[in-house]
Amino acid sequence: MGLIDDAAFLLLSTVAILSGWRVFATDSMVRASFLLMMSFIAVGLIMLLLAAPYIGLATVFMMAVEMMVMALFMVMFMMNPAGLNPMMMVHQHQLAIGAGVFAFVGLTAAVLFTDLPDDRVDPGAPVVHDLGVELLGNSMLIFETAGVTLLATMVGAVVLSSRSGRFGAADEGSRPPGLEVGGEPAGRQPVQGGGGHHHHH
Amino acid sequence: MQAVAILSVLLLLLFGAWLAAILDRAGNALVAGDRVRTAAVRPLHDLAAHLSRQTTTTEAPDRLNWRLAPVAYLALAALGLSVVPLAPGVVAADFDAGIVLWGACEALTVVVVFLHGWSANSEFPLIGGYRYVAIGLPVMLISMFVLIAAALPAESLSVAAIVESQREIWNVVRQPIGLPLFLLLGLSLTLRGPFDYADSDDLIGGTRAEASGAQLAAWQFARLAMLASVSVMASAVFLGGYLGPVLPGALWLILKSGVVLAVLIAAGHLLARMPPSRMMTFIWTVLLPLSFLDLVLVGAELLIWG
Amino acid sequence: MTLTTVLIVAAALIGIGLYGALSQQSFVMLMMGLELMLNGTLLAAIGFWSYGLGGAPEGQLMAIIVMAVMAVDMAVGFALIVAVYRKRQADVTESLTTLKN
Amino acid sequence: MAVAALRRLALRGPVPVHAAIGTDALAAVDDLSLDPRISVQQSPRHAAILLVAGPLRDEDRSDLCRLHDQLPHPRATVFWRTDPAIQIADPPVVSVEDDAAATIASVYRSLIEEGRPSEPDLQPDTPPNPWRGKGDHGQGGEGMMGGTPYGRPMAMTGDDLRDGLQLDPYTAEFGPFLPVFPPGLKLRITLQGDVIQFAKVLRPPLPQEEQSGPSAALRRIARQLRLLGLTGQAARALRLASVGDGKAAGVRRLRRLVKWSGSGQAIPPGLGRVGGADVRDRLAAWWEVASGETAEARAPDRTLVDLLPGLEWSEAMLVLNSFDIATLTGMCPIEKREDKAHSEEEKDAPEPHDHDGHQDQMRGAA
């Protein structure tokens, strides 16, 4: 059993890391979203191996929905969602690579030089049951706070993204960005007299 | 025992898809006022016709995702079915959190259908994919609420425990709103009838409009297999699964699933489909509150009598 | 599979996520970097719980909190993207040199 | 051995047919679709036989070629009630007037079993817009955006009609053989998501015979039912339309069946209001006619291009199929030049791109 677990862990962690890397290397935005989802699914399955079935499956469940929405946003906001034109939309590339490598090396070193605890969870323990009791028992306040936070987030998200704001339409006087920083607005020009919305037919 | 269960899951999918294909044709003929001249081998004719044709391609599709989508759809049907106990103690994947696994399969189905529409690089499949996401996500929310309601009396997220909790009274009696709402999810997961927003005729077949030959056959088979999977799940969670007198448990499960399958197919043929924007309003203002109500009622019932 | 290997995988995910969050110009891609970092965090939390706490449920609670943070991050992020896009029709970071308007 | 068995099995099912409908052939194809020997497919990708029914306009021929090339191999074309419009096979298969199904079945049999060669592509398999080798990576675009990589124009931003979020609209030509359109109608449509932002009539529908009476009403009802996902009920309506007399009881039963389906509530109220009647009213009037009563006809006071913008695709299809073809033709004036009234709307629509010759895309021809 230990060998199978090890092999599964090796496979899943390879998938998680490779697809996590490919997210930033593919041209297709939809593929990028679903590669990230793959990474999450692999991590969710690793959690199954780590004896946390509820958290693992909930991660898969949540991330499938989240990445679906992410993919739609990609298609909506990116000029080139299918990656038919190759593209490289990065800045401070060297710095970013350096920071990424530094974070990895630093964390790995910390992991390797720390005396890690070894108090394995009992495979037969009713972890899902325990989690439920904990969530609605001792930690109920924390759990409910998370719930209220999510509710507030939902309200905030709707307010932020809706068109009509407290002081009129949100896109009123909106001004498209220039092709270079501080340049003339590109694309459609702001309409005279304010109001980004044109006539509606 | 687990090997038997895994084999049974595969057989159940195959047999269920076949039965669904036959019932589908018969249902259509009945509604059309035709003579029902369906035969048991008729699905094989269609399969052979598909396989004898070329699998075409479009200009610059996302080929990997396009070809993988039917396979992934089928895999999700199998995975979802694997948490259902087929007889006392016979379950392919005995998870503590079986319902959550099923929920993950639902969510991934939305992703797979979207990918099938997206990757063909053609407008009707793409519109089908978009629409399906808009309708599929809220329908999935509804199903999560009714499934949690069904899990409440069992005090467990495991499907086996949910079946066992229905020894005295089936969930369909205890929580009558749950089953119809779950069946709506079934229609949505299998792109059928009033919830067929991905593969509908007004989009020339939607996400499968550009699929042909073996790929089309695989996609259609996956849809039917998913239908079988949903039927079995519905009968396990709401109709007591393998519980029943006299007959062996597995037979009871098959009988109940067959009835659910027939109901789903009949609903697909008899009910009209709304335009998606109207359906969205209906889901968010009527169906979703109804699923809240279901959850609240079950909670109240358990507090008072439980 | 030991706690060390699990944590190294988590560190790799965090590293890649950090690279993405720092290097990407597009808001949506930038958020994907953040999500990937949270993915690593989640894995590390569960790893610690599984190996270090002997199954105390508070560890799983931590993971649930991380997931809630992810959801909040997504929702607020998307809402901000939509709001900024309405205002500036911008979807890359360079277009925003000021928070005015 | 296995291949032969597969072929034998395939031949025992109905023949999958995709119909390209021309002048005066809609009712005939509807009747043909009831034949158990064939099954009419919506998408050309799902068919083995292309049925060209009724004469076509000259300008529809290139669309027909494109449609033909979308059928998977092995494929064949059958002409019915028309001379061969395009040179495909030698000799072309022309069906006899009264039994097209038999001709189709025999062509299918020879195609599957007797080694009749599959028809080759009519159009060269090359991209319509030259793009190969252009750009930094040979992708055809200029840099990351713009250009027409793989013959696809990159979507640029435009107003959303619903909430003004300026996201990518997409312009394409639909028709003239799209099964959900009246035959011959070709539109250029700008879509954002599945919402129509802008529509322009390129070619009006082709005239069809039999525009009044219970049978015609039932055929129109059948089209509407198909859009609502009620294929069985639609087939029943067509069957009723094809029998001559004594259908009052049948129509009553069908109407009850359709009522139970909730189709009355499925169609949004006030959709496609023209001359004081919306889609629901027009459907109700057809039911009156189908039951042998008379309904007053209302003259349309709007054109199609005014009606469609703002509608979501399936609503637009309901509207489009809620008119009889003569009325719809009256609503489709072709603007040769953009006159004053429309030039302003034109400005909003992004530069339309020509998709002609896009041979493996279904948008143009299907």
Side-chain angles (χ1 to χ4, degrees):
Chain A
M1 203 57 207
L3 197 63
I4 296 178
D5 270 7
D6 281 349
F9 174 73
L10 192 68
L11 182 75
L12 289 171
S13 48
T14 314
V15 170
I17 293 173
L18 273 186
S19 51
W21 165 59
R22 291 300 303 171
V23 168
F24 303 107
T26 179
D27 282 336
S28 163
M29 295 298 105
V30 170
R31 279 195 177 191
S33 314
F34 292 123
L35 279 168
L36 186 56
M37 187 184 83
M38 286 268 289
S39 179
F40 272 106
I41 291 177
V43 167
L45 295 179
I46 293 178
M47 290 180 201
L48 284 189
L49 294 180
L50 290 171
Y54 178 80
I55 303 282
L57 289 174
T59 307
V60 174
F61 171 77
M62 208 178 104
M63 284 308 133
V65 177
E66 211 172 299
M67 289 306 125
M68 187 65 250
V69 178
M70 184 79 102
L72 286 192
F73 268 79
M74 284 289 189
V75 177
M76 272 160 64
F77 284 105
M78 300 297 272
M79 277 302 148
N80 179 16
L84 293 178
N85 278 355
M87 55 185 243
M88 192 72 183
M89 283 180 72
V90 291
H91 51 192
Q92 47 190 9
H93 201 210
Q94 305 299 332
L95 174 74
I97 293 177
V101 171
F102 179 74
F104 172 63
V105 172
L107 286 172
T108 307
V111 167
L112 289 178
F113 294 113
T114 311
D115 188 18
L116 292 168
D118 190 17
D119 183 9
R120 201 63 231 269
V121 56
D122 175 18
V127 285
V128 179
H129 183 261
D130 285 353
L131 175 64
V133 171
E134 175 72 21
L135 282 184
L136 296 176
N138 288 340
S139 306
M140 190 157 185
L141 195 61
I142 303 174
F143 186 52
E144 290 301 315
T145 311
V148 174
T149 310
L150 285 176
L151 181 66
T153 306
M154 280 196 272
V155 175
V158 170
V159 170
L160 269 177
S161 54
S162 77
R163 179 185 201 171
S164 50
R166 193 170 158 198
F167 304 108
D171 48 4
E172 195 170 293
S174 84
R175 186 178 160 89
L179 284 176
E180 64 270 1
V181 177
E184 274 296 290
R188 29 186 58 244
Q189 302 296 323
V191 175
Q192 290 283 311
H197 47 99
H198 304 277
H199 55 276
H200 288 224
H201 30 252
Chain B
M1 217 46 185
Q2 206 174 20
V4 174
I6 292 172
L7 194 66
S8 321
V9 162
L10 296 180
L11 282 178
L12 213 52
L13 282 182
L14 204 62
F15 172 74
W18 191 333
L19 184 67
I22 294 171
L23 283 181
D24 197 22
R25 188 167 298 283
N28 194 46
L30 270 180
V31 174
D34 256 342
R35 212 152 43 80
V36 181
R37 50 166 97 70
T38 181
V41 288
R42 180 57 196 276
L44 284 186
H45 299 161
D46 291 345
L47 179 69
H50 284 315
L51 290 183
S52 67
R53 278 196 292 281
Q54 171 205 18
T55 296
T56 53
T57 183
T58 57
E59 197 179 344
D62 190 339
R63 202 175 302 269
L64 176 73
N65 285 327
W66 202 20
R67 303 295 189 229
L68 271 184
V71 182
Y73 198 1
L74 187 60
L76 288 174
L79 204 59
L81 189 54
S82 70
V83 296
V84 181
L86 306 173
V90 182
V91 50
D94 189 11
F95 267 127
D96 287 349
I99 286 289
V100 190
L101 179 66
W102 172 264
C105 287
E106 284 176 15
L108 288 171
T109 303
V110 178
V111 171
V112 163
V113 175
F114 172 77
L115 267 184
H116 191 240
W118 160 263
S119 53
N121 195 14
S122 176
E123 56 275 84
F124 289 123
L126 182 64
I127 294 177
Y130 276 162
R131 269 185 180 185
Y132 187 72
V133 174
I135 300 292
L137 288 184
V139 171
M140 197 193 68
L141 280 186
I142 294 175
S143 88
M144 288 327 288
F145 283 115
V146 300
L147 284 180
I148 291 171
L152 273 185
E155 298 179 2
S156 167
L157 292 173
S158 140
V159 183
I162 293 177
V163 173
E164 280 303 319
S165 75
Q166 301 177 66
R167 280 216 178 267
E168 283 176 7
I169 184 166
W170 288 357
N171 274 341
V172 67
V173 184
R174 189 149 47 184
Q175 19 186 297
I177 316 175
L179 182 61
L181 286 179
F182 189 77
L183 291 185
L184 295 187
L185 166 91
L187 292 174
S188 165
L189 275 188
T190 55
L191 326 178
R192 185 162 283 277
F195 281 87
D196 179 10
Y197 288 99
D199 280 13
S200 57
D201 271 356
D202 60 337
L203 290 175
I204 326 296
T207 69
R208 72 193 146 101
E210 293 279 4
S212 64
Q215 185 181 9
L216 181 62
W219 183 252
Q220 301 287 64
F221 174 67
R223 281 176 65 179
L224 293 172
M226 185 56 101
L227 188 60
S229 185
V230 170
S231 310
V232 176
M233 189 70 185
S235 61
V237 173
F238 292 100
L239 297 174
Y242 54 72
L243 299 176
V246 189
L247 296 174
L251 203 56
W252 270 115
L253 185 71
I254 289 174
L255 278 178
K256 290 171 186 173
S257 309
V259 172
V260 175
L261 187 74
V263 169
L264 279 173
I265 285 174
H269 285 299
L270 290 175
L271 298 179
R273 179 178 55 235
M274 304 177 195
S277 49
R278 198 167 163 76
M279 179 55 103
M280 288 266 268
T281 315
F282 182 60
I283 290 175
W284 286 100
T285 57
V286 179
L287 296 181
L288 206 59
L290 215 56
S291 68
F292 291 155
L293 184 70
D294 181 47
L295 193 56
V296 170
L297 285 182
V298 173
E301 180 221 305
L302 286 176
L303 273 184
I304 298 170
W305 292 289
Chain C
M1 190 172 62
T2 63
L3 181 53
T4 313
T5 52
V6 171
L7 289 181
I8 289 176
V9 172
L13 290 173
I14 292 175
I16 297 172
L18 186 64
Y19 156 73
L22 286 180
S23 70
Q24 297 296 315
Q25 287 182 310
S26 159
F27 288 133
V28 192
M29 288 299 283
L30 190 154
M31 280 173 55
M32 294 178 84
L34 291 180
E35 296 276 315
L36 201 59
M37 286 171 76
L38 285 172
N39 190 17
T41 317
L42 194 59
L43 182 60
I46 286 295
F48 273 121
W49 165 78
S50 178
Y51 282 96
L53 287 175
E58 288 85 355
Q60 295 194 60
L61 185 71
M62 169 75 194
I64 294 218
I65 300 293
V66 174
M67 284 167 72
V69 170
M70 275 200 236
V72 171
D73 161 45
M74 270 287 281
V76 174
F78 281 146
L80 282 175
I81 291 174
V82 172
V84 166
Y85 192 80
R86 267 188 208 288
K87 203 76 197 167
R88 306 282 186 78
Q89 293 171 29
D91 62 349
V92 292
T93 47
E94 264 77 356
S95 312
L96 289 185
T97 47
T98 165
L99 289 173
K100 239 180 77 186
N101 282 327
Chain D
M1 193 43 214
V3 177
L6 196 70
R7 286 177 178 160
R8 264 201 310 282
L9 265 179
L11 280 175
R12 291 182 56 194
V15 187
V17 175
H18 181 77
I21 302 172
T23 309
D24 287 343
L26 183 56
V29 172
D30 280 345
D31 288 345
L32 186 69
S33 72
L34 298 170
D35 195 299
R37 285 170 292 181
I38 68 170
S39 81
V40 174
Q41 302 290 323
Q42 299 271 304
S43 166
R45 300 285 194 196
H46 304 171
I49 305 287
L50 176 63
L51 176 71
V52 183
L56 306 177
R57 289 171 297 218
D58 287 345
E59 59 264 37
D60 289 338
R61 288 188 186 177
S62 70
D63 295 300
L64 185 66
C65 291
R66 200 144 21 114
L67 181 66
H68 171 269
D69 292 352
Q70 287 173 4
L71 269 74
H73 292 289
R75 63 189 173 204
T77 309
V78 173
F79 292 93
W80 186 36
R81 299 164 71 115
T82 177
D83 296 329
I86 46 175
Q87 185 64 38
I88 300 173
D90 195 31
V93 186
V94 183
S95 166
V96 287
E97 274 296 306
D98 45 348
D99 200 1
T103 315
I104 291 171
S106 77
V107 171
Y108 186 57
R109 175 168 294 276
S110 65
L111 198 63
I112 297 281
E113 211 171 37
E114 288 150 26
R116 177 195 166 90
S118 177
E119 291 167 0
D121 282 355
L122 296 174
Q123 292 190 320
D125 189 6
T126 51
N129 299 312
W131 60 268
R132 277 183 213 279
K134 277 175 69 182
D136 301 340
H137 308 265
Q139 81 277 18
E142 289 130 23
M144 195 180 68
M145 39 194 277
T148 50
Y150 302 93
R152 295 285 180 295
M154 287 275 117
M156 299 305 273
T157 58
D159 268 356
D160 189 308
L161 293 178
R162 286 177 294 192
D163 73 346
L165 198 62
Q166 299 191 338
L167 297 173
D168 309 343
Y170 176 81
T171 305
E173 291 176 1
F174 294 89
F177 300 120
L178 201 65
V180 285
F181 278 12
L185 180 66
K186 184 167 183 177
L187 297 177
R188 177 183 294 140
I189 295 178
T190 301
L191 286 162
Q192 193 173 40
D194 64 347
V195 177
I196 294 179
Q197 295 205 302
F198 180 80
K200 179 179 162 68
V201 178
L202 298 179
R203 284 173 220 163
L206 290 164
Q208 304 291 333
E209 65 205 353
E210 194 188 32
Q211 290 287 328
S212 62
S215 286
L218 278 169
R219 287 181 205 286
R220 285 182 214 126
I221 289 171
R223 285 181 77 81
Q224 203 64 299
L225 291 180
R226 221 176 287 140
L227 289 176
L228 293 168
L230 302 172
T231 42
Q233 289 86 336
R236 184 181 278 217
L238 288 181
R239 195 172 300 281
L240 282 169
S242 66
V243 299
D245 301 317
K247 53 183 144 197
V251 171
R252 248 197 327 277
R253 268 201 302 279
L254 175 63
R255 196 170 178 179
R256 211 175 315 130
L257 194 63
V258 170
K259 206 170 169 183
W260 284 345
S261 77
S263 63
Q265 280 68 49
I267 301 172
L271 179 68
R273 193 178 290 280
V274 167
D278 62 7
V279 173
R280 283 187 182 183
D281 297 333
R282 288 193 285 273
L283 194 59
W286 289 345
W287 280 114
E288 301 284 303
V289 175
S291 318
E293 293 161 41
T294 52
E296 53 169 331
R298 292 191 175 92
D301 54 1
R302 296 170 75 182
T303 60
L304 191 61
V305 292
D306 288 338
L307 265 178
L308 292 182
L311 295 182
E312 175 278 327
W313 178 269
S314 64
E315 288 172 349
M317 292 309 106
L318 286 172
V319 169
L320 205 55
N321 287 289
S322 69
F323 300 102
D324 59 69
I325 285 166
T327 311
L328 192 67
T329 311
M331 292 166 67
C332 292
I334 301 285
E335 309 123 46
K336 285 289 175 223
R337 280 180 300 112
E338 269 107 59
D339 48 32
K340 281 264 154 59
H342 288 93
S343 60
E344 209 179 342
E345 277 173 289
E346 281 282 335
K347 211 169 56 193
D348 247 6
E351 190 64 18
H353 295 273
D354 192 13
H355 289 293
D356 266 0
H358 235 205
Q359 69 138 310
D360 60 358
Q361 280 295 299
M362 66 190 329
R363 70 165 64 93

